[in-house]
Amino acid sequence: MTRAVYVSNYTPVGDLIVVSICYVMLVLMLFSYINKNHSFKVFFSTVLLVMAAALTDVIYHKLGETGNADNMQTIYILRCLYHAFLFMVFQMFTVYITVVTRLGRRMKLLFCGLGGLIFIAVVGLDIADTVRGISVSMSDTGLVFQSRGVFTYGYAAYLLVIICELFYVRKRLYRRVMLGFYGTMAISFLILFLAGRRGQQSFTVVTFLYPVIAMFYIMHSTPYDATLGAIDSRAMQDLVKNYYERGRDFMFMSLYMRALDEEGRTLPEGMRAVVRRFSTDFFKGSTLFQLNNGHVLLLFPLSRNPDYEKRIQNILIAFQAEYHRFRFDYKIVIGQSIDEVSRKNEYVSFIRDIHRGMEENSIRRIGPDDVKRFNSNEYVLRELEDIYNQRDLDDPRVLAYCQPVFNIKTGKYDTAEALMRLKLEKQGLVYPDQFIPLAEENGYIHILTEIILNKTCKAVRKLIRQGYAVSRVSVNVSAVELRDDKFCNDITRIIDRNDIQGEKIAIELTESKTDNDFMLMKRKISELRERGIKFYLDDFGTGYSNMERIMELPFDIIKFDRSMVIACGVNERSKKIVLSLANMLSEMDYAVLFEGVESASDEQMCTDMSASYLQGYKYSKPVPIERLQDYFEQTVA
Ligand code: C2E
Ligand code: CA
Ligand code: CA
């Protein structure tokens, strides 16, 4: 077999440009904000390898120019290294594709393994050829090459693997991303082909740089999710701003799946395929955004989709058809651009606000009321933030209301539940169903508890001083508060500084949802019980009550939720269940309290069910805590 022989035709320009571009990229990567995830790390190493290849290429050619045969050893080594670096870049490409497309383990192993085999084979053969002196030698005119056999075969083999890989993942990839990759590969190949025909070696490394630049732009600068075709919320803000400034209306469809969001899981592949199709097949000019793991939003211009109603219906039908395959609970919100929300660029928090009032697996069209409520929530949230920052335990915006509880045994009122209201300048009285979720989600709930406890302690002390018979008043505490190490301290400190006994205060808790919260609850209850504080289990019967767990916690009173009272009135079966629960609990020395007793018949029914306490509108609505004295008995004047 005869091999073509040619004298080196090389200028360092191509490689030096590569080195400088790689250098600039590395600097930019280190100093700009980029999500440093796994694919980014693969990418970063790829840039380093390309740079190393270009450098070794320059150096060994430079040494060749000297015509000094003593340099041959070094030239051999550098040239083999140069090839090895380029093949490592190829290997990184195969790895990179498996990472950004989230390929399964088996296919990952297959492609990376194939690449690895090629690597070992070509690098081995290359070294063998070099050692045998048949690939490069020195003459007075410079380096002489005997064709680039092994390198060309290795290059072709790797290219084949990568094309197979891209073909395999074609369905997982978002179309625009894939076209971007194919485009740069085609350009690289063209350059290599033209250079090869002229025996030109100066631009080999450049062809490796193009895919790298494409990777950077497509994957890391605008953080495209390669398989969803989605970009992030920052990009959404830019687009909304752009539409708003040009006065263009748009529509959006948002899909939220709590399970994925909370567990930090990414969408499973099947679901990705569905979302990808939704983003490309239904609306003209649409853009898909991934706002977090479980939240995607599709935005499209109204003008280009005049028949959007029909399209929305189609997409919802398609969604329902796919839903049974995945069965993630979802919330879908559909709406049109709203000037007020666009101006403040607040769609993400606007939609989150709407989710709060939605059932799982429901679809909601946005209406004018939603904007009103959103604005109101924003206002309340700002006030809550201010209450949090002021840390004033007597903050006049937080009102302690109270609902007296009827004691069946004595026929009197000697306990009550403290219920919170806010009194805000622009909105008057605000009720817990609006502000408690806001406070819990934003970390402002504990200060509210401290304020309400402080005000309750004050009122209790005053009542006792005036000779009223007060057994205790209960205060509601949210589960999230128990997670703070300071919780027990904060509670006892407030009780102590108001100079009342622990027995006069009770804490109402709802069932814990996780093992972790359960353990926390157990520990905190034990600690505070030592100070005499009593504990109520609130809303019994609304969750999936775990009796075994409930028994493990030393509650004093079990509060049956109003829904149980209602259920009793509905049919005999439910009544039997509630009755046996109440009997069982009172036999185990828990006191049973029924909430939401509204009528004389409710009262009769609950009294017949081993209840100790009754609470509800039948006796009193929640009243300002100062009015408790209207209900409690004054034993000494
Ligand atoms: P909850 O602890 O179950 O409180 C009882 C709720 O039922 C109160 O609503 C009360 O006004 C209402 N209610 C009382 N009697 C009846 C009745 O006969 N029929 C009906 N239909 N309802 C009755 P409110 O005051 O709006 O409080 C709602 C929820 O907000 C409370 O439910 C509690 O979970 C929470 N909450 C209230 N105050 C606080 C607080 O200070 N801290 C915390 N963490 N949560 C609070
Ligand atoms: Ca309660
Ligand atoms: Ca309750």
Side-chain angles (χ1 to χ4, degrees):
M1 191 170 67
T2 53
R3 283 161 174 251
V5 176
Y6 54 90
V7 176
S8 172
N9 173 11
Y10 177 82
T11 91
V13 175
D15 284 326
L16 289 179
I17 289 176
V18 171
V19 172
S20 58
I21 292 179
C22 286
Y23 181 74
V24 171
M25 285 178 89
L26 292 173
V27 171
L28 287 178
M29 276 185 264
L30 290 174
F31 293 107
S32 59
Y33 174 76
I34 294 173
N35 180 1
K36 308 252 182 327
N37 54 16
H38 187 39
S39 64
F40 177 78
K41 285 176 190 147
V42 175
F43 172 72
F44 195 87
S45 337
T46 312
V47 177
L48 282 177
L49 285 169
V50 171
M51 195 163 153
L55 276 174
T56 40
D57 200 22
V58 174
I59 298 170
Y60 96 76
H61 276 102
K62 200 80 199 152
L63 288 176
E65 268 175 24
T66 61
N68 184 348
D70 294 347
N71 286 335
M72 250 2 246
Q73 195 97 3
T74 324
I75 289 174
Y76 285 151
I77 294 173
L78 285 176
R79 191 171 128 91
C80 284
L81 260 179
Y82 160 63
H83 285 165
F85 281 140
L86 285 184
F87 286 122
M88 271 189 237
V89 173
F90 263 133
Q91 183 67 13
M92 287 313 234
F93 286 162
T94 60
V95 174
Y96 189 79
I97 295 170
T98 67
V99 173
V100 295
T101 57
R102 301 167 219 263
L103 270 192
R105 251 178 72 89
R106 269 188 44 211
M107 292 319 283
K108 213 180 214 170
L109 261 173
L110 176 73
F111 287 118
C112 298
L114 260 175
L117 285 180
I118 296 173
F119 184 84
I120 294 170
V122 285
V123 172
L125 284 174
D126 192 40
I127 294 174
D129 272 5
T130 311
V131 170
R132 280 153 63 209
I134 57 170
S135 60
V136 60
S137 54
M138 183 78 88
S139 77
D140 355 321
T141 43
L143 291 177
V144 179
F145 294 91
Q146 322 272 324
S147 112
R148 303 203 292 170
V150 176
F151 181 78
T152 315
Y153 293 134
Y155 195 103
Y158 256 120
L159 214 55
L160 198 68
V161 171
I162 288 174
I163 288 172
C164 286
E165 199 175 354
L166 281 175
F167 184 75
Y168 181 80
V169 299
R170 71 194 182 286
K171 289 224 175 96
R172 293 169 160 254
L173 268 182
Y174 178 54
R175 210 179 301 145
R176 282 190 219 171
V177 169
M178 193 153 75
L179 288 179
F181 279 138
Y182 278 140
T184 48
M185 272 175 66
I187 290 172
S188 295
F189 206 72
L190 189 71
I191 291 176
L192 199 72
F193 178 74
L194 291 177
R197 277 189 31 167
R198 294 165 155 263
Q200 176 54 267
Q201 300 186 351
S202 316
F203 302 104
T204 309
V205 188
V206 170
T207 65
F208 286 76
L209 185 66
Y210 288 128
V212 168
I213 293 177
M215 275 149 72
F216 184 70
Y217 266 95
I218 300 175
M219 305 299 306
H220 300 287
S221 65
T222 47
Y224 253 120
D225 182 309
T227 64
L228 266 181
I231 37 188
D232 70 0
S233 56
R234 232 180 353 167
M236 177 170 152
Q237 301 225 319
D238 290 343
L239 190 68
V240 167
K241 184 157 176 256
N242 185 289
Y243 273 120
Y244 177 70
E245 282 170 357
R246 290 190 294 156
R248 290 183 70 186
D249 280 327
F250 59 83
M251 296 280 304
F252 61 87
M253 293 183 84
S254 137
L255 168 65
Y256 176 74
M257 285 160 291
R258 194 169 48 89
L260 297 176
D261 181 20
E262 285 176 1
E263 291 159 28
R265 275 197 287 158
T266 52
L267 289 173
E269 175 47 31
M271 190 91 204
R272 289 180 166 264
V274 174
V275 173
R276 191 164 55 233
R277 192 164 67 80
F278 284 171
S279 71
T280 51
D281 293 3
F282 287 85
F283 302 101
K284 293 203 188 84
S286 65
T287 317
L288 183 73
F289 299 95
Q290 179 149 38
L291 305 176
N292 64 32
N293 282 327
H295 195 180
V296 289
L297 183 141
L298 188 60
L299 193 152
F300 52 91
L302 206 57
S303 55
R304 291 185 61 192
N305 299 275
D307 52 348
Y308 66 87
E309 272 309 332
K310 204 178 82 210
R311 290 165 190 259
I312 288 175
Q313 286 318 314
N314 288 342
I315 206 169
L316 289 178
I317 291 167
F319 179 81
Q320 290 301 340
E322 301 286 351
Y323 170 64
H324 72 274
R325 278 171 49 203
F326 304 102
R327 298 222 165 272
F328 289 116
D329 284 346
Y330 64 84
K331 292 177 181 176
I332 292 178
V333 177
I334 302 169
Q336 191 174 331
S337 46
I338 301 159
D339 276 356
E340 204 178 336
V341 186
S342 293
R343 183 165 41 80
K344 297 194 223 148
N345 218 325
E346 278 178 338
Y347 283 96
V348 177
S349 34
F350 179 47
I351 291 168
R352 292 216 179 109
D353 190 70
I354 290 174
H355 286 163
R356 201 176 292 119
M358 282 173 78
E359 303 263 320
E360 290 293 347
N361 304 320
S362 62
I363 299 170
R364 173 78 167 269
R365 300 291 286 247
I366 285 172
D369 283 352
D370 293 308
V371 185
K372 238 187 263 162
R373 216 205 28 242
F374 174 60
N375 287 332
S376 154
N377 282 349
E378 292 283 290
Y379 168 65
V380 171
L381 198 57
R382 278 198 302 278
E383 290 287 316
L384 286 173
E385 189 182 356
D386 188 58
I387 291 171
Y388 175 81
N389 289 329
Q390 302 278 331
R391 298 201 167 274
D392 173 10
L393 289 187
D394 296 308
D395 198 308
R397 289 169 287 188
V398 182
L399 304 186
Y401 270 54
C402 233
Q403 191 175 31
V405 173
F406 183 69
N407 185 332
I408 297 179
K409 222 176 283 163
T410 61
K412 292 178 180 149
Y413 300 99
D414 60 343
T415 61
E417 174 179 11
L419 293 159
M420 197 179 335
R421 310 286 181 254
L422 295 182
K423 197 173 145 195
L424 303 180
E425 204 178 302
K426 288 195 196 147
Q427 247 180 254
L429 221 49
V430 184
Y431 287 85
D433 49 339
Q434 183 181 6
F435 69 81
I436 296 283
L438 287 171
E440 285 181 343
E441 281 164 32
N442 295 282
Y444 304 139
I445 187 71
H446 185 56
I447 182 70
L448 295 181
T449 299
E450 289 185 306
I451 296 171
I452 213 81
L453 177 63
N454 186 48
K455 295 195 170 187
T456 302
C457 289
K458 271 201 177 126
V460 167
R461 190 180 56 178
K462 192 167 162 208
L463 283 170
I464 292 173
R465 293 234 167 118
Q466 291 173 351
Y468 286 93
V470 184
S471 294
R472 76 191 86 86
V473 175
S474 59
V475 171
N476 292 281
V477 166
S478 299
V480 287
E481 295 179 60
L482 301 184
R483 295 186 195 144
D484 191 338
D485 290 335
K486 297 198 306 297
F487 176 76
C488 294
N489 258 334
D490 291 346
I491 299 291
T492 49
R493 197 191 63 237
I494 293 170
I495 294 176
D496 290 346
R497 71 174 232 174
N498 280 291
D499 198 22
I500 61 168
Q501 295 168 290
E503 291 84 56
K504 298 295 172 195
I505 294 297
I507 288 179
E508 299 196 7
L509 292 170
T510 54
E511 275 172 75
S512 55
K513 294 198 182 69
T514 63
D515 290 336
N516 221 346
D517 281 348
F518 172 76
M519 296 309 295
L520 269 176
M521 215 180 215
K522 199 169 161 179
R523 252 188 291 137
K524 310 261 149 137
I525 293 181
S526 312
E527 189 176 336
L528 288 176
R529 268 176 76 94
E530 283 177 18
R531 297 290 320 269
I533 298 168
K534 297 238 179 323
F535 280 87
Y536 296 7
L537 177 66
D538 204 356
D539 298 341
F540 178 70
T542 53
Y544 301 88
S545 297
N546 182 335
M547 285 313 256
E548 203 178 332
R549 275 192 174 178
I550 291 174
M551 311 281 178
E552 237 185 275
L553 299 172
F555 284 113
D556 301 280
I557 293 183
I558 310 289
K559 296 186 79 169
F560 278 51
D561 188 73
R562 168 159 168 77
S563 59
M564 308 269 267
V565 179
I566 295 171
C568 287
V570 173
N571 63 45
E572 278 303 311
R573 228 175 86 84
S574 314
K575 195 170 174 174
K576 269 190 191 149
I577 297 176
V578 177
L579 176 65
S580 58
L581 278 172
N583 283 340
M584 178 187 76
L585 287 164
S586 55
E587 262 166 42
M588 300 183 64
D589 288 335
Y590 291 105
V592 170
L593 181 156
F594 279 92
E595 276 190 294
V597 176
E598 289 186 353
S599 61
S601 69
D602 284 350
E603 178 180 58
Q604 189 56 52
M605 198 166 56
C606 297
T607 314
D608 293 345
M609 285 198 273
S610 11
S612 308
Y613 299 98
L614 301 175
Q615 179 183 351
Y617 295 164
K618 161 88 175 53
Y619 310 100
S620 167
K621 296 209 161 185
V623 294
I625 200 161
E626 298 74 34
R627 282 188 44 204
L628 260 192
Q629 55 191 46
D630 299 350
Y631 297 86
F632 285 15
E633 193 186 25
Q634 201 168 23
T635 47
V636 272

